[in-house]
Amino acid sequence: MCADRPLKVALFGSGRIGQVHARNIAAHPDLELAWIADPFIEGAKKLAAGTGAKAVQTADEVFENSDLDLVIIGSPTPTHVDLITRAMESGVAALCEKPIDLDIDRVLACRDKIAGTSAPLMLGFNRRFDPNFASIRARVEAGEIGRLEQLTIISRDPAPAPVDYIKSSGGIFRDMSIHDLDMARFFVPDIIEVSATGANIFCDYIEEAGDFDSVVISLRGAGGELISITNSRHSAYGYDQRLEAFGSEGLLNAGNVAPTTVRKYSAAGTEESDAYLPFFLERYVDAYRNELDSLVKAVRGGTSCSPNFDDGLQALVLANAAEESARSGRAVKVGKQ
């Protein structure tokens, strides 16, 4: 890796999340987007056109380049394990979107296979890098509210994903709740018990796919901390993202984000404001940039990343436990895998 040039990056996947990463890589002064890989080559070509990157179809065309420094894995979930393994065995740093895989056995096998490698590897739990949530966590760690006793996380999407996505998503716990389960571990790393309840209230095709459209998850930390996660696949008022940390000496909370802080007051009502930001691409734009900055620092410094592979594994353990609890009606004890 050359210290006097930008890091050369390959992006796997030219879909929605790939487009987010492509924009951020292109705007980063210490990165060069050199390759975009996607079997659907037309998508790769279209995304590459405005970046100067080369569009390719296969991983072989990426890893044959000796000057490759970093890969961003935004391709479909079934490709993640193989691409992580290949990157780590090639000594190439990587950022992989969640989840590592839907099958816990494949994740454990991947962990064993890359155990002796040293290239930095980050998991794409970008919400850890949201300025609001990161500030609360830092202040909790500094003891500002005393001992953390309760954590409340609310995440509601504006509308259900399309039926084809739902069918291949792995279910709400592994697809949607997994971000909030990682956020719970960001504050309370040692979770020992999971209870979850799921319901089908408003979306027929989600129910037909055998999934839930609404869930509530309760977690217990080893220190007695109680964590509540509320998820819904729809929200009439926009993308609902809130977090509250309650401690022995106070409370910290982060509310929803709107385009402006302007409020309107009239005879029709007071405190009328802009609608919340429409979805994760807009709400977490700063988080994605901060995530990339953190990754670049780790690659340049040869240091480990956070969140890492183990964080991805443990979040999947919790998601699986939540699924088991919701189906069985029983609390599930968990331990670190």
Side-chain angles (χ1 to χ4, degrees), residues 95-111:
L95 165 66
C96 182
E97 286 297 332
K98 63 80 191 167
I100 299 170
D101 196 83
L102 297 176
D103 184 340
I104 192 73
D105 291 333
R106 288 198 76 209
V107 177
L108 292 170
C110 181
R111 180 181 67 177

Side-chain angles (χ1 to χ4, degrees), residues 60-200:
D60 288 344
E61 294 171 276
V62 170
F63 287 104
E64 69 185 9
N65 296 281
S66 60
D67 54 349
L68 173 66
D69 299 309
L70 169 65
V71 297
I72 308 291
I73 303 170
S75 48
T77 298
T79 68
H80 290 182
V81 163
D82 290 342
L83 291 173
I84 287 173
T85 302
R86 190 154 186 184
M88 294 300 99
E89 292 181 342
S90 300
V92 174
L95 165 66
C96 182
E97 286 297 332
K98 63 80 191 167
I100 299 170
D101 196 83
L102 297 176
D103 184 340
I104 192 73
D105 291 333
R106 288 198 76 209
V107 177
L108 292 170
C110 181
R111 180 181 67 177
D112 292 342
K113 197 165 186 179
I114 67 173
T117 63
S118 58
L121 172 60
M122 178 179 283
L123 257 291
F125 290 121
N126 66 292
R127 296 181 192 183
R128 291 193 183 205
F129 299 95
D130 173 70
N132 303 293
F133 298 162
S135 175
I136 290 182
R137 199 260 188 172
R139 293 166 73 171
V140 168
E141 289 291 296
E144 189 171 327
I145 60 170
R147 178 186 175 187
L148 180 64
E149 297 176 358
Q150 297 176 347
L151 185 70
T152 301
I153 303 169
I154 296 172
S155 178
R156 299 184 177 106
D157 284 353
V163 61
D164 288 344
Y165 178 91
I166 293 294
K167 288 179 178 179
S168 63
S169 69
I172 190 171
F173 294 111
R174 298 178 188 89
D175 172 56
M176 181 179 178
S177 306
I178 197 167
H179 274 292
D180 304 305
L181 292 166
D182 177 71
M183 183 57 62
R185 290 193 66 253
F186 192 38
F187 284 82
V188 183
D190 192 2
I191 305 294
I192 62 172
E193 186 178 87
V194 180
S195 299
T197 301
N200 294 99

